[in-house]
Amino acid sequence: MKVKTISRSTDEFTRERSNDLQRVFRNYDPKLRPQEKAVEYVRALNAAKLEKIFGRPFVGAMEHNEAISCMAKNPNHLKGIFAGSEDGDIRLWDITSRRTVRKFPGHRGAVRGLTASTDGSRLVSCGADCIIRRWTVPVEDSSEDSVKPEDFHISKNAYWGVDHQWKGDQFATVGAQVDIWNHTSNAPVRSFQWGTDTVISVRFNPGHPDLLATSASDRSITLYDVKTTIPIKKLIMQTKTNSIAWNPMEPMNFTAANEDGNCYSYDLRKLNEATMVHTDHAAAVMDIDYSPTGREFVTGSYDRTVRIFRYNGGHSREIYHTSRMQRVFCVKFSCDASYVISGSDDYNLRLWKAMASEQLGVLLPREKKRHEYDEALKNRYKHLPEVKRILRFGLGTLFLVCIKVYTYQYESSFSPLLLCTGLDTGTTRGHTWCTRVSSSAQGHWR
Amino acid sequence: MSVKATKEEKEKETEEEKLPEDLDLKVKKYLRGGAANFDDLKDKKLKGQLSHREFLYGASAKAAAKYEKWLMPSEGGYLEADGPVEKTWRIKQEDIRREVDISSSRNQHDVILPEFSPYTLDFTSNGQYMAAAGRKGHLAIVDVKNMIPRREIQVGETVRDVVFLQDQSFFAAAQKKYTYIYGQEGIEAHCLKDQGAVLKLQFLKNHFLLASINKFGQLHYEDVSMGAMIGNIRTGLGRTDVMQVNPYNAVVALGHSGGTVTMWKPTSSAPLVKMLCHHGPVSALAFHPNGRLMATAGKERKIKLWDLRKFEVLQTLPGHAKTLDFSQKGLLACGTGSFVQVLSDFSGTQNYSRYMNHSMVKGYKISNLLFRPYEDVLGIGHSMGWSSILIPGSGEPNFDSWVANPFETRKQRGEKEVHLLLDKLPPETIMLDPTKIGTVKTARKKEKSTKKEIEAEMEATVEAVKEGINMKKKTKGRSKPSKKLKKRQEIIAKAKRPFLEQQMHDGQLTIKKQKISEEVALPKSLQRFARKKAAT
């Protein structure tokens, strides 16, 4: 007879020394894991809840002396952002420490446009005082606090915006007409005009360096090529477009932020029909910027909110608002796609996380794996009603139900609706910065 | 040289071809079902995304099957007889003891405690600890790996059943009047008065539910993590002490004295399944770990193996069984009197035949059989104490540290408890088919069949009824032809009634107003000239 039984020797299955790691043995057989789908579902539910609990997107604020009218990113320096305000004050902010690195004084009126050159060494600003100024962005070591302008040009009409080519030496300013400038020239190299209305915004195409799109106050979007003398195409919409952003990963697509609260995505080859309409804002959308991944864009609106949309999503993924933040005039997505910066009417630049529940900093490989697992779980079960509700509306809906019961029991004078508006997490799909009222209520029910 | 090179290439090719044959079965195990069919999908983008996902599933299953040989080094136990004459069921425990190594032979022992007889056993999920309860009030926790008794208490009253909760730190004992929960030091932590005098206890590990059946046939579910009652179901089928949990779907099955087996979930007051299994009372019940096979034993000397997908008998074996248990590898142990019989389905064909036998000393009455997880050991609780014997090939040789670790340290136990609590399943997830979670619920649309279809259906039923009419022969003038005809018409009208009611409900049929016959319309003097309808 041949016999063998399972006999496990302790040394094979336990660690040798106390400073070794514990030994782990795996058997992936599904037989050992009964009800694994239910366990996965419970873990997905917990992951969705944790995402909402850790959703604290506000990082910090940077203050100016007046309302902020425009911002510019420097593609060669992740940490810095240029911001210009309505009193002519231009500052270079260090995002990590949230302090002003340099000031660029000189403009007397509102700064309407800011842009950095391709190599990041030069800054161009234009303002309502009809002046374009060129500055050299100082290197870190230099000790000067404020920078003197390199050059300036005065014109007859106020400027409304400026943008620099992604690859090249030219930049465009818009106001009464579209002017193309060189860094060396004193006068515009080329001028375009189609119609008599003011042109209010301009953006160069990231893929084709000579192509640019502008929007004018006659509700139009016009495409120009810098090399030609005549404009290419004009699209007239029902309401004015405040700003345009090109998708850096798909340069034939651009999204226009419109006065009617919608954002319209177009393919430049087929302008007769929008590829996507992104609706969610309640008032005019003032500014729009794409993430460097090309998968998301951020919009700032007159209705005091900042929303993040997926590039092909009809509705916003995320909404950021605060009682302290007033009309949002400009937004930028940071160059590492982790942050969103909004400049608003209340003199503040606000720094928000692009993914509200993201853990910042260096992650341990185990933490990374766990986050990836949670994301995969949420993706798999996001269509189930409980998980869907938490991902869309947040945990506040759970407390909404509890508080409604509370009011009916105690016959409070407050109607349930009034109480609920105090809980921002319940009514909106987003995050508030100041959640003192709601967090205490949450603490109470937890 | 070039000829040799080509030969090597050919060898490699054949090797690669050989591999899939071996791996096929293993890959099937990891695939968890067949691939989805995308032929009906019209959305091309979605089709592309889903087929990519299917490809990834296949790749991961293949990888898991390939790495098995490194991840799972131990092979299971086995017992093979030499030649056709020697039979495995004639091999005795003493013979096995001689052939096996010392550490395994330590697992063969008898503990004689005649004063507190008979004993009920329970093992923790990693097979490291055993709880033994003597009917006369003896409760003991034994570390079976090192054979050290950890705690012993004498409660001074009848103890009918004992069960471990999530791990060895808590156990529940069904005592004379109430159920008590004891902590690690043997200190009484809780007294559960709601349940009454409990006959059998079972613990649903993933849900933290303690299921109990009491003297009056009431099934009670208690959530031990919160201390809340989840369900109290009056089964209405009388007193029973045959209760088992199906590990595959966490459904509790009860065997009743009428020969029926009912399956329950905590959220419904009616059983999920009620099946008539035996002609006499059901004496024992056991579930195979894959959830598809159930063994029941009846007092009429039959042991039946059921397929739980079709609810059909697969095999009937003769014999009594007071207690049944399936091992991790699918061996079935049946115990009656002082005799234990172990049946095995060789090579997974689900055709059970004799594998091993063991007879104990004649006076010992077996009350409880339980296989020890991850070991080739069978624990026997009997009237004179408890024993443990070796059954090679019954335990799963490769354990997963994150599921159940027989070499757990104190820290690992604590962390595991936290993870178990985090992954605690709500009681609503208990269902007969646990793979349904996450699937799409097909909406039941009430199909309004057309008028023609309804008429066709009506005619079909009428035809069927007409053929099935059997008129009873009545005497004393009651079976006149006219009466027979009336009866026939009555039966046909009864068959038609539900269709007509449905049509009326839909508003398609209205009671026809009687046509005023021509007779009445004409003035009285001319009525005799009106055309009368021929009598039908």
Side-chain angles (χ1 to χ4, degrees), chain A residues 1 17 37 113 119 180 195 203 260 267 333 337 384:
Chain A
M1 105 178 128
R17 285 177 224 96
K37 277 210 111 176
D119 54 2
I180 311 294
R203 281 280 180 267
D260 64 357
D267 185 331
F333 223 116
L384 286 175

Side-chain angles (χ1 to χ4, degrees), chain B residues 40-83:
Chain B
D40 294 333
L41 261 188
K42 286 178 192 164
D43 186 353
K44 283 186 191 169
K45 262 193 187 170
L46 184 64
K47 202 172 178 178
Q49 285 170 2
L50 289 176
S51 22
H52 177 68
R53 229 191 249 182
E54 285 290 331
F55 165 73
L56 286 176
Y57 290 158
S60 70
K62 264 194 203 156
K66 223 171 56 165
Y67 301 144
E68 246 190 35
K69 70 174 178 217
W70 292 292
L71 279 181
M72 308 207 296
S74 338
E75 280 166 14
Y78 54 82
L79 175 65
E80 281 164 27
D82 296 326

Side-chain angles (χ1 to χ4, degrees), chain B residues 129-195:
Chain B
Y129 289 87
M130 181 182 80
R135 182 157 283 245
K136 299 204 173 78
H138 180 212
L139 285 168
I141 309 286
V142 182
D143 177 353
V144 279
K145 215 158 57 92
N146 307 319
M147 291 309 299
I148 303 168
R150 285 201 64 213
R151 280 287 167 220
E152 282 183 65
I153 46 176
Q154 172 59 255
V155 295
E157 56 176 13
T158 330
V159 176
R160 295 195 199 93
D161 198 10
V162 75
V163 79
F164 272 117
L165 299 187
Q166 73 274 15
D167 51 24
Q168 68 270 18
S169 51
F170 289 97
F171 64 95
Q175 292 179 207
K176 180 175 167 193
K177 271 198 198 163
Y178 311 118
T179 319
Y180 291 84
I181 293 182
Y182 295 88
Q184 207 167 31
E185 304 298 306
I187 300 171
E188 181 191 314
H190 303 282
C191 171
L192 306 172
K193 292 201 175 156
D194 300 339
Q195 300 178 4

Side-chain angles (χ1 to χ4, degrees), chain A residues 279-296:
Chain A
T279 52
D280 247 348
H281 276 294
V285 189
M286 304 306 292
D287 198 11
I288 181 169
D289 191 32
Y290 261 92
S291 154
T293 62
R295 283 282 173 268
E296 286 181 336

Side-chain angles (χ1 to χ4, degrees), chain A residues 1-8 25-30 33-39 43 46 380 383, chain B residues 32 71-72 77-78 80 82 101 104 206 247-248 374 376 396-398 400-402 422-423 425 437:
Chain A
M1 105 178 128
K2 281 180 271 210
V3 198
K4 186 182 169 286
T5 52
I6 296 172
S7 67
R8 299 190 185 98
F25 297 90
R26 301 308 309 270
N27 182 348
Y28 292 108
D29 198 344
R33 294 163 176 79
Q35 298 124 45
E36 52 187 356
K37 277 210 111 176
V39 172
R43 285 183 185 168
N46 289 339
R380 187 183 268 202
H383 59 281
Chain B
R32 294 163 168 90
L71 279 181
M72 308 207 296
Y78 54 82
E80 281 164 27
D82 296 326
D101 58 327
S104 296
N206 293 332
Y248 178 67
Y374 303 106
D376 283 337
E396 171 66 55
N398 301 300
D400 189 321
S401 305
W402 303 128
L422 282 173
D423 291 338
L425 301 174
I437 293 176

